[in-house]
């Protein structure tokens, strides 16, 4: 019975050792801006693109892949504009190994959302400089239609 008398003291010591502050947190330090930790670097600063128009996004991310393709255009034709009313036109960008799909309204030029393509949520958040607790935008998973337990990307939508 004597060994059990020391059990509360041993548990107390273990609890104190666990609270040394040596653990790291995977969330960014500043949730309001989405800034990443000092040791890691984002591939694309997505929070800086949230709330921008498609022309501003293109200036940062470069020429969309659609502009390089002969079958699809970066801008809708007059016929496509009439058929879609200019809504939900997309541009796809490749930047630092990250694929970003921007959905925008062709008439107003306003970007509706940005989708970072990938299957690892933590990696997407880190590469996009994103925070799940940011005040300026919302980050939502894009679920794989064939398997609802997998994601195919993370969607970023402005709160404004």
């Amino acid at each position: 019975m004597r060994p059990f008398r020391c059990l509360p003291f041993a548990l107390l010591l273990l609890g104190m050792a666990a609270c040394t502050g040596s653990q790291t947190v995977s969330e960014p330090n500043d949730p309001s801006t989405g800034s990443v930790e000092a040791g890691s670097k984002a591939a694309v600063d997505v929070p800086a693109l949230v709330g921008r128009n498609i022309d501003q996004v293109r200036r940062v991310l470069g020429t969309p892949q659609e502009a390089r393709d002969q079958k699809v255009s970066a801008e809708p034709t007059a016929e496509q504009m009439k058929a879609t009313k200019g809504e939900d036109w997309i541009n796809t960008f490749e930047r630092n190994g990250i694929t970003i799909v921007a959905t925008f309204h062709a008439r107003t030029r306003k970007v509706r959302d940005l989708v970072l393509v990938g299957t690892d949520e933590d990696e997407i958040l880190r590469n996009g400089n994103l925070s799940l607790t940011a005040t300026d935008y919302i980050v939502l998973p894009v679920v794989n239609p064939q398997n609802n337990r997998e994601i195919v990307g993370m969607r970023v939508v402005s709160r404004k």
Side-chain angles (χ1 to χ4, degrees):
M1 280 285 198
R2 199 167 179 96
F4 293 113
R5 196 182 281 170
C6 297
L7 186 61
F9 182 69
L11 290 174
L12 178 64
L13 281 177
L14 285 172
M16 288 174 59
C19 294
T20 62
S22 62
Q23 292 93 356
T24 59
V25 178
S26 62
E27 275 296 306
N29 289 335
D30 187 356
S32 64
T33 63
S35 347
V36 292
E37 294 176 8
S40 60
K41 186 175 182 203
V44 179
D45 189 14
V46 175
L49 301 174
V50 173
R52 306 285 183 220
N53 67 44
I54 192 62
D55 301 306
Q56 293 167 324
V57 169
R58 288 176 184 165
R59 277 192 285 265
V60 173
L61 298 180
T63 305
Q65 289 181 344
E66 290 81 3
R68 299 179 202 133
D69 192 352
Q70 300 299 331
K71 298 174 187 167
V72 181
S73 172
E75 297 290 334
T77 64
E79 190 175 296
Q80 291 168 327
M81 189 73 129
K82 185 177 178 183
T84 64
K85 297 179 184 165
E87 296 177 10
D88 296 339
W89 199 254
I90 66 166
N91 278 179
T92 308
F93 302 91
E94 286 287 330
R95 179 74 179 243
N96 297 327
I98 307 298
T99 301
I100 301 169
V101 180
T103 306
F104 67 99
H105 192 286
R107 270 188 287 125
T108 66
R109 316 297 290 160
K110 183 168 174 54
V111 173
R112 190 186 72 192
D113 62 27
L114 298 163
V115 175
L116 282 74
V117 178
T119 57
D120 184 334
E121 182 178 340
D122 291 330
E123 183 179 354
I124 293 170
L125 292 172
R126 185 174 48 256
N127 286 336
N129 192 24
L130 296 167
S131 170
L132 295 175
T133 58
T135 57
D136 297 339
Y137 58 86
I138 301 168
V139 180
L140 304 163
V142 179
V143 179
N144 182 345
Q146 282 81 34
N147 182 354
N148 63 3
R149 293 182 182 178
E150 295 177 358
I151 66 164
V152 293
M154 299 295 283
R155 179 178 177 217
V156 183
V157 182
S158 176
R159 288 187 188 260
K160 298 174 184 173

